[in-house]
Amino acid sequence: MSLKLNTKYLENFIGEHEYQAVAHQVTAAHKILEDKSGLGNDFLGWVNLPTDYDKDEFERIKAAAARIKEKCDVLIVIGIGGSYLGARAAIEFLKSSFYNNLKKDTPDIYFVGNNISPAYLNEVLSICEGRDVCVNVISKSGTTTEPALAFRIFKKLLEDKYGKEEAKTRIFATTDKAKGTLKKLSDEEGYETFVVPDDVGGRFSVLTAVGLLPIAAAGCDIDKLMAGAREGQKKYSADDGNDCYKYAAIRNILYGKGKSVEMLVSYDPAFTMMGEWFKQLFAESEGKDNKGIFPAAATFSTDLHSLGQFIQDGSKIMFETVMHIKTPQSDIFLEPDKDNLDGLNFLTNQNMSVVNEKAYQGTILAHTEGGVPNIVIDVDKLDEENLGELIYFFEKACAISGYMLGVNPFNQPGVESYKKNMFALLGKPGYESQKADLEAKLG
Ligand code: PA5
């Protein structure tokens, strides 16, 4: 079994009767997800996506990825939130957090349009100098400010460098099938376009063209990724106490005991961006109506030297979900040293992964003894099948958990507030009346 929930370290925190007490809530959440009668039921396209996806478009994605590989040294992926995090997380998970520095026959990939920092954009522009560039601009709504602004700049760069005709063969747009400024612009300019299905929200879209094109362009096997997700769809389809539903139940039991922060932990930096993807998935899905578990993420042992103190000894507000990746991508055999001046010979004659494993074991015992519940998710290794299953596991757990909490897991009304203020302050037409009020508040 590739993915397995291990509840051994929860024994002192959750009794069997507590699982039984929430079982009816799990069943109710399962039922409204199945019969599509719950809140946000217009956005359930991700549930059957691993089996029910556009096979022709999937082949087009693979063909576009092959063309990108031939045509460019650098692929610029423009998008924010759900139109950014999944692709980057998958590439780092499957390749490396050093993907761009690896020797490879695929392009370097830089992600822009996920902030409004001019310095960040200038740095990526200077990285592109003297190199062949392609762009994948991704926006479901087609109107989000950050990617739209970055796309303006990269569109001009490509048109200045290659001329309009060649530029349009280097631009790939992933957006709504019919609506939005990006769709209109792409049709007018003649870009190849890919679709974000209407019924799949941004943070649930990594297994659509949103994630699949950049992931394929990085040389990852998207057939295997979808096969892993199909495995998840099958394993987590029934209300039979499966690991995914159990994880959702545990989160809600712990939340009921005052654990309002979940720290997703791994012992491999290749997983760090998955932590960012997880944060968006759960924060936007559950953080509403003045409720929700605050999702955080950490990479150990790095963060044991920063957050570790708080987790062990600070306010007892959190639980940890630990990704236990059993087989590293590669290993280092630690040779003994005859002088042993640094006293480290006790670590030697074994692989370095053994040391990492002991750090995991030691930490989990320390943290649980310190009063922090630990959920463990065992994963065999970082490959496409496991990633596909893991994505599906978290998406389904998030939906079940959100319904158990009584919120709509598929909207994000809170994200609009900053946008309205920003637009008003920038003088966007239609926001005139708010501008003066906001400026007065700023003083
Ligand atoms: O999950 C979401 O819906 C959001 O995070 C969006 O993905 C994000 O705001 C980007 O939106 P869009 O793809 O419309 O540009």
Side-chain angles (χ1 to χ4, degrees):
M1 205 176 272
S2 48
L3 214 81
K4 185 131 186 48
L5 188 74
N6 172 355
T7 57
K8 176 175 159 55
Y9 302 100
L10 289 171
E11 279 159 11
N12 292 334
F13 299 97
I14 300 179
E16 206 41 52
H17 63 287
E18 293 177 277
Y19 290 109
Q20 285 158 20
V22 296
H24 69 286
Q25 282 177 266
V26 175
T27 301
H30 167 78
K31 194 169 176 315
I32 58 174
L33 195 59
E34 279 294 289
D35 62 21
K36 299 192 176 185
S37 61
L39 294 167
N41 54 10
D42 287 351
F43 290 95
L44 298 180
W46 58 272
V47 176
N48 294 323
L49 193 63
T51 44
D52 185 10
Y53 60 94
D54 181 338
K55 310 290 183 305
D56 294 336
E57 183 181 70
F58 194 79
E59 291 310 311
R60 255 189 336 109
I61 289 171
K62 289 198 267 184
R67 278 206 310 288
I68 288 170
K69 185 176 147 187
E70 269 165 34
K71 275 175 107 69
C72 71
D73 312 309
V74 180
L75 171 66
I76 301 295
V77 178
I78 303 177
I80 194 165
S83 292
Y84 150 63
L85 287 163
R88 182 161 172 197
I91 292 166
E92 296 200 7
F93 180 106
L94 295 169
K95 295 291 178 184
S96 161
S97 44
F98 296 118
Y99 169 78
N100 282 343
N101 304 95
L102 297 178
K103 286 199 194 84
K104 58 190 180 298
D105 62 357
T106 48
D108 287 352
I109 299 182
Y110 289 92
F111 293 89
V112 304
N114 55 65
N115 60 64
I116 322 177
S117 159
Y120 180 98
L121 208 54
N122 270 328
E123 285 154 18
V124 179
L125 286 166
S126 85
I127 287 167
C128 291
E129 273 169 30
R131 307 177 79 191
D132 275 319
V133 179
C134 285
V135 167
N136 179 200
V137 53
I138 309 170
S139 176
K140 183 179 183 194
S141 62
T143 54
T144 308
T145 309
E146 290 90 338
L149 200 55
F151 182 53
R152 243 189 201 214
I153 290 164
F154 275 92
K155 179 175 183 287
K156 182 166 179 336
L157 180 144
L158 291 191
E159 290 176 353
D160 290 349
K161 189 174 165 109
Y162 299 107
K164 227 171 160 38
E165 280 311 299
E166 172 65 14
K168 72 183 186 195
T169 69
R170 292 175 174 271
I171 296 174
F172 301 84
T174 307
T175 188
D176 187 87
K177 67 176 184 312
K179 306 187 294 283
T181 316
L182 180 58
K183 174 64 181 159
K184 193 163 166 277
L185 188 152
S186 303
D187 288 347
E188 274 167 25
E189 298 283 4
Y191 305 148
E192 176 160 15
T193 57
F194 298 92
V195 173
V196 194
D198 286 342
D199 57 358
V200 180
R203 57 190 175 275
F204 289 83
S205 70
V206 55
L207 298 174
T208 71
V210 169
L212 295 176
L213 180 55
I215 294 169
C220 308
D221 187 332
I222 59 172
D223 284 296
K224 288 186 179 164
L225 183 69
M226 293 306 275
R230 270 195 297 283
E231 178 65 15
Q233 186 185 341
K234 203 164 79 193
K235 268 167 77 173
Y236 312 127
S237 64
D239 179 25
D240 55 1
N242 70 62
D243 279 354
C244 173
Y245 287 22
K246 190 160 185 188
Y247 168 61
I250 291 166
R251 295 179 82 254
N252 281 268
I253 294 168
L254 293 174
Y255 181 58
K257 291 174 183 246
K259 304 294 180 191
S260 56
V261 175
E262 177 176 18
M263 183 76 70
L264 185 74
V265 166
S266 82
Y267 284 76
D268 194 324
F271 198 84
T272 301
M273 282 306 299
M274 279 298 288
E276 298 302 302
W277 173 81
F278 162 90
K279 277 157 61 178
Q280 187 208 0
L281 181 66
F282 280 89
E284 283 193 343
S285 301
E286 288 194 321
K288 51 199 69 160
D289 307 334
N290 297 311
K291 293 192 278 195
I293 297 170
F294 183 83
T299 305
F300 289 172
S301 65
T302 314
D303 293 322
L304 288 173
H305 295 257
S306 56
L307 299 174
Q309 169 63 34
F310 189 105
I311 299 169
Q312 185 72 46
D313 271 349
S315 324
K316 291 289 161 262
I317 53 173
M318 75 176 74
F319 62 95
E320 290 171 282
T321 297
V322 183
M323 300 306 308
H324 180 218
I325 298 151
K326 291 185 164 172
T327 317
Q329 303 289 64
S330 67
D331 222 327
I332 294 178
F333 185 75
L334 301 170
E335 304 277 357
D337 181 279
K338 72 174 172 25
D339 299 324
N340 195 27
L341 292 177
D342 55 10
L344 291 183
N345 269 359
F346 74 99
L347 296 176
T348 61
N349 274 321
Q350 61 189 358
N351 284 329
M352 193 161 159
S353 59
V354 177
V355 183
N356 207 18
E357 178 70 11
K358 296 298 166 201
Y360 152 77
Q361 292 171 348
T363 305
I364 212 161
L365 292 178
H367 287 183
T368 47
E369 275 157 25
V372 181
N374 268 245
I375 305 167
V376 176
I377 300 174
D378 288 316
V379 182
D380 289 341
K381 57 179 189 289
L382 301 172
D383 66 8
E384 280 89 343
E385 282 96 343
N386 285 323
L387 177 61
E389 185 179 338
L390 194 60
I391 287 169
Y392 195 87
F393 173 93
F394 278 127
E395 287 180 351
K396 189 107 194 241
C398 182
I400 295 289
S401 192
Y403 278 149
M404 288 177 77
L405 192 63
V407 299
N408 176 353
F410 306 111
N411 66 0
Q412 55 285 329
V415 180
E416 293 311 309
S417 307
Y418 98 91
K419 289 186 195 168
K420 282 187 200 138
N421 286 356
M422 181 178 77
F423 290 149
L425 290 168
L426 285 165
K428 185 172 177 174
Y431 289 81
E432 294 78 3
S433 61
Q434 293 102 307
K435 189 171 196 288
D437 276 359
L438 293 172
E439 282 175 346
K441 281 185 193 161
L442 288 170

